[in-house]
Amino acid sequence: MIDDHERIEELLAGYVLRSLSGADASEADLLLSEHVPGCGECRRTLDGFQVVTADLGFAVEPVRPPETLLPRLHRQLEPHAPRRRPMQMFAVAAGVVAVVGLAGLTVSQNIRANNADVRADAFANAAQLAARDDARMVDVGPVQEISAPGEEHFYLVGEGVPGPPAGSIYRVWLVSDGVTTFVGDFLPDELGRVFLPIDFDPNRYDDLWIAVEPIDAPTGAPVSTEWWSARGTTPAA
Amino acid sequence: MEGLLAGNDEAVRALYARYGRLIYSLGYRLLGTREAAEELTQDVFLTAWRKAARFDPTRGRLSTWLMTIGHNLAVDRLRRETGVSRPTLVLVDEVPDAPGLDEEAVLIERDAAVRALSSLTDAERRLVARSYFRGMTAREIAETDGIPLGTVKTRLRSAMIKVRKANEGKGLV
């Protein structure tokens, strides 16, 4: 892990300004998922940078919005108005470059999410997969598993995913005949979004587990009590 | 926020009254059209409504949370709309006169933001403006301005530290 204080500040400043790309963005992803949650100084730096970055928006010249905007907003907030389903994330962020903004992903084993181009392609593929009539969408805790018959990969997608407690991370396993295979870790970005392409054939596994785990916990099997199963098996079984 | 969680009309109206113009202005300056600014404003308040439970007042102010949502959504949009004509940035020169009571807090924040930006060198301010207000990455800035990438990243870091220090007097960072 990075121990260069100036480099960490540089990455955190770039992260809050959204100015990172390429290797810097990947490095920041790792920093944010593996180091910052457990480092008080870095969390304070990140919080401080986020405050001042947000405050920069106050500097723009004020423009009066149209009178019709508030009534339109109210209509969208009506209790019976349909809320966007998680899958509408694809519609909201349909542009492939937007995937670059999904930060906080840890790259591990078969979770491939650190390269902007790969993410963009994966995002487009996931949208196509989700649109299929035979697509399977299963809620697994805070995210949704999206797969389809005959496809040797699947996706975890989420919106409004709460960040885990400090020092913790979401951890993913696949289970087959009682044997767990660690897939990787993830964190939602600052808007609570998660998008993970996973190169395992879901048809070859009995279950998918997701758990909120201490960052330094062993990856053999869930150790926490906060976990979810896609097919109903239990880590303790 | 509890009212917002419940979809309470008055809570939404109060939140919009305080921050609607601010978010709309940010959207207009970043995205360049009134239509895009309206869509962004709606998306920000819808996001705030859906995720009100995630707002943690111990980690920051409501305005910070809303502006962060707005900026991220705007940058996402700028980057997926390739070829978008980025608008000319207009920073406020002075605090507008005759503020209403509801706008007083916002005007104080605006004044502080302008002062914080004025603490930067011209080169730093230019880079921050290109990054925050135009959604450009450090690499794009380096290529556009003919500055070494390392210099861009270093200046952005030093700018953020300066702005943070300029805000320390507010007791917020």
Side-chain angles (χ1 to χ4, degrees), chain A residues 54 57-58 60-65 69 73, chain B residues 15-31 33 36-46 48 62-71 73-74 106 110 132:
Chain A
F58 283 94
V60 300
E61 184 180 337
V63 181
R64 186 175 297 282
L69 187 52
L73 183 60
Chain B
L15 198 66
Y16 181 86
R18 186 159 187 178
Y19 301 112
R21 186 173 182 179
L22 187 65
I23 300 294
Y24 179 84
S25 301
L26 181 70
Y28 183 65
R29 294 311 174 198
L30 264 74
L31 300 173
T33 69
E38 287 178 36
E39 287 176 13
L40 179 81
T41 307
Q42 289 184 76
D43 283 345
V44 168
F45 282 94
L46 282 170
L62 184 55
S63 61
T64 299
W65 189 59
L66 292 172
M67 293 295 270
T68 300
I69 293 172
H71 183 250
L73 291 176
V106 171
R110 184 173 299 137
Y132 181 84

Side-chain angles (χ1 to χ4, degrees), chain A residues 9 18-19 24 43 47 53 55-59 61 63 66 72 76-77 84 190-193, chain B residues 22 25 38 42-43 51 54 59 61 67 72 76 79 90 92 110 113 132-133 138 153 157 160 170:
Chain A
E9 284 182 339
R18 298 287 306 273
S19 67
D24 287 339
R43 284 180 69 88
D47 287 349
T53 303
D55 284 356
L56 292 175
F58 283 94
E61 184 180 337
V63 181
R72 281 214 307 277
Q76 289 193 275
L77 295 176
R84 291 175 182 169
E190 74 276 10
L191 294 178
R193 299 173 300 186
Chain B
L22 187 65
S25 301
E38 287 178 36
Q42 289 184 76
D43 283 345
K51 296 170 181 169
R54 297 187 63 206
R59 290 194 62 191
R61 295 161 297 154
M67 293 295 270
N72 280 324
D76 282 348
R79 291 182 180 174
V90 181
V92 66
R110 184 173 299 137
Y132 181 84
F133 294 105
K153 292 191 284 191
R157 168 184 164 271
M160 292 299 292
K170 292 158 57 181

Side-chain angles (χ1 to χ4, degrees), chain A residues 2 24 32 36 87 107 117 120 151 156 162 166 169 177 182-183 192-193 207 211 228 232 234:
Chain A
I2 310 168
D24 287 339
L32 288 159
V36 173
M87 286 312 302
V107 182
D117 292 335
E151 298 295 336
L156 295 179
I169 202 161
D177 294 329
F182 171 61
V183 176
R193 299 173 300 186
D207 207 345
W228 302 271
T234 64

Side-chain angles (χ1 to χ4, degrees), chain A residues 119-236:
Chain A
R119 284 193 208 177
D121 288 344
F123 204 70
N125 291 338
Q128 284 184 343
L129 190 72
R132 282 172 50 171
D133 289 337
D134 60 349
R136 291 189 298 256
M137 300 182 199
V138 179
D139 289 334
V140 191
V143 297
Q144 200 171 47
E145 175 198 4
I146 301 168
S147 62
E151 298 295 336
E152 297 182 350
H153 57 276
F154 65 100
Y155 303 89
L156 295 179
V157 178
E159 264 194 318
V161 178
S168 301
I169 202 161
Y170 288 103
R171 189 153 282 171
V172 184
W173 292 270
L174 285 164
V175 188
S176 181
D177 294 329
V179 177
T180 57
T181 300
F182 171 61
V183 176
D185 298 328
F186 71 86
L187 286 172
D189 71 0
E190 74 276 10
L191 294 178
R193 299 173 300 186
V194 169
F195 174 69
L196 298 175
I198 299 179
D199 282 341
F200 278 103
D201 181 355
N203 301 301
R204 294 173 50 207
Y205 291 88
D206 303 326
D207 207 345
L208 166 74
W209 293 340
I210 297 176
V212 176
E213 296 276 289
I215 287 174
D216 56 356
T219 57
V223 297
S224 77
T225 56
E226 190 175 2
W227 54 268
W228 302 271
S229 161
R231 316 275 186 269
T233 64
T234 64

